[in-house]
Amino acid sequence: MIRKVRGLILAGLLAGAGLAACSPAATPDESVGAQANAGLSPVAGLALTCSGCHSSMGGGIADISDYTSEAIMTALDRYRLEVDGTTVMHRLTRGYSEDQLQAISDYLGAGQDE
Amino acid sequence: MSKRVTLSRRHLLAGLAGTAALPVLAPRAIAQTNARLVVIGGGFGGATAAKFLKHFLPNTSVTLIEPNETFVACPFSNLVIGGQREISQQAFTYDGLRALGIDVVHQTAGDVDVDAHTVSLLEGGGSVAYDKLIMSPGVDIRWGALEGYDEAAAEVMPHAWKAGAQTSLLRQQLEAMEDGGLVVMSAPLAPFRCPPGPYERASLIAHYLKTQKPASKLLILDAKDSFSKKPLFLEAWAKLYPDHLEWRGAADFGRVVSVDAPTMTLSTDFEDIAASVANVIPPQKAGEIAERAGVADETGWCPINPLDFSSTLQPDIHVIGDATIAAPMPKSAFSANLQAKFCAMQIARQVAGLDLEPTVLANTCYSYISPDQAISITGVYSNADGQLASIDGAGGLSPENADDSVRTAEAAQADTWFRTITQEAFG
Ligand SMILES: Cc1cc2nc3c(=O)[nH]c(=O)nc-3n(C[C@H](O)[C@H](O)[C@H](O)COP(=O)(O)OP(=O)(O)OC[C@H]3O[C@@H](n4cnc5c(N)ncnc54)[C@H](O)[C@@H]3O)c2cc1C
């Protein structure tokens, strides 16, 4: 259940326009319950950065909304370890521990993993 | 209910306890169902904050106070000045926010009564009450800080550091200039909005001159000797615009000490320079409302606790974006947007009675060096222990002497970034 909800919240964040779809879904009493809390976890905080660039806009930056956790982690690991990489992701991933990257991957990919 | 409130307070204080240097301001306890959340300023920080407050706390009332019905974005406005974009492509409305149930009030916040927890509205009168207030008022010009540069002078020598009429004015002046003219830019000391912005602008003006008015030249007079992405800009300028762009730093008397708009003169300690077109990027401060609310200190900028971007000077007010003292995080739209999301999350955590966890924040700023090539700077920051600190070994610049393909790839990424971030803030 929580996994699904997380996936939903994320799909919303990543799709950009999807925020609209999330808000009306919560009823008053559960709004400070499981759903809100899943979206308020520390890893959700770490992942806030991603949606500033990654969306369904297309063009020069990948839309990662349909990536599995594994696909995301594979990409992040490659960025982190590639010494002569030239993209912003190479420089950004080096600021996170492997555990943090794994947690972000699990979180972002949760909806796609089943 | 009261149990939850106590809990959330205790957790908040526990979260702050690690930050001994910062004053702990007792926050007003708020409950999810009747909290009044107010945001001042509908730019990159404020519009994003309003959306994410509504997202995390769908049952609260969220009010956004912003005077303009259309927001004109600064990022990519240098492409308007360079002739690659229309100013209309920089415009965003608040319809998307309204559709989410955010109450958008097109008024100027006149004052903040921190004791009564109210914001007064300038044009319409009346006031809006808040339990939590997020301020993202951006920057205001320090008129007069550069001798001779006042609001009247800006109509002759545009700053174009707030996008809109000023951007269009500078573009028109460049178009009207006869070939053979001298364009002069003046860049200020840090801190100012968008540290690499003046140099991106210089690149795109130089491109315009090189391709449209080849007998003309751009001179950048700088109050500093170093600036953001300097090695990459110098490399690009030497390669692309050797005959059309000259940069003069402080050590070469680049600092402009006064301007005279009627004669289009910029003066350094060494000489007086007459310009055909002058773009004066003046010293700045946090948007004026910050001073009136008592959240700005003697520097003119707003000190914050980076754990939740709460003001260290006033309770129940959070400040995000350009107005803050958040170095090493730069004053960028990327930073304002991320600070907004994180600040909204921390407020929601407080309402939900959760601990205020620290996080890792980041920034990416692309700059165009020509219409189809860009470079970037990134940073990764910890906000643990009460301060923002760059994480060692991360961040930095695009590689020097890279293939053109690296620069064109970053231009394509910049374009997607702009469309994504404006969608996230206003869509
Ligand atoms: C030429 C240029 C190029 C740039 N390029 C980039 C780039 O490529 N990437 C990047 O990340 N950043 C870039 N920036 C920086 C970016 O524009 C700012 O960092 C960003 O706008 C900061 O967001 P903010 O919310 O703090 O302020 P703003 O976006 O300026 O929003 C402030 C809002 O507050 C409102 N306001 C002010 N006072 C009041 C009041 N009293 N009551 C109600 N509302 C009020 C204003 O009307 C405004 O809408 C650039 C800036 C410039 C000048």
Side-chain angles (χ1 to χ4, degrees), chain B residues 372-387:
Chain B
D372 55 6
Q373 297 196 327
I375 53 179
S376 64
I377 185 166
T378 64
V380 189
Y381 315 97
S382 156
N383 73 340
D385 307 323
Q387 58 176 23

Side-chain angles (χ1 to χ4, degrees), chain B residues 41 43-45 65-67 74-75 109 136 138 193-194 322 331-334 417:
Chain B
F44 281 94
I65 304 172
E66 161 63 50
C74 284
S136 191
R193 156 176 286 182
C194 194
D322 286 357
K331 299 187 188 304
S332 70
F334 190 110
W417 168 77

Side-chain angles (χ1 to χ4, degrees), chain B residues 97-112:
Chain B
L97 274 69
R98 282 206 181 82
L100 295 174
I102 295 160
D103 188 12
V104 183
V105 177
H106 287 304
Q107 297 268 331
T108 305
D111 213 338
V112 178

Side-chain angles (χ1 to χ4, degrees), chain A residues 9 12-24 26-32 36-37 39-62 84-96 100 107, chain B residues 4 32-33 51-52 54-59 100 334 337-338 341-342 344-345 348-349 351-354 357-364 366 376-380 391-399 406 409-410 412-414 416-417 419-421 423-424 427:
Chain A
I9 289 173
L13 286 176
L14 293 170
L19 274 178
C22 294
S23 306
T27 58
D29 289 332
E30 66 180 32
S31 55
V32 191
N37 289 1
L40 297 175
S41 65
V43 61
L46 287 174
L48 288 174
T49 306
C50 312
S51 62
C53 293
H54 291 277
S55 70
S56 55
M57 287 293 164
I61 301 173
D84 51 0
T86 59
T87 72
V88 300
M89 286 304 293
H90 291 93
R91 289 168 261 150
L92 291 170
T93 46
R94 288 170 200 145
Y96 299 80
Q100 286 172 327
Y107 179 75
Chain B
R4 173 175 295 146
Q32 153 78 359
T33 40
K51 274 182 84 169
F52 277 76
K54 197 70 188 168
H55 171 66
F56 290 128
L57 299 166
N59 303 303
L100 295 174
F334 190 110
N337 165 270
L338 180 55
K341 291 185 277 188
F342 182 66
M345 176 178 273
R349 279 181 179 155
V351 171
L354 299 168
E357 300 280 349
T359 197
V360 176
L361 298 164
N363 178 68
T364 295
Y366 296 99
S376 64
I377 185 166
T378 64
V380 189
I391 292 177
D392 283 346
L397 305 177
S398 313
V406 173
E410 292 215 299
Q413 286 152 12
T416 302
W417 168 77
R419 288 184 290 124
T420 299
I421 203 128
Q423 171 70 26
E424 190 170 60

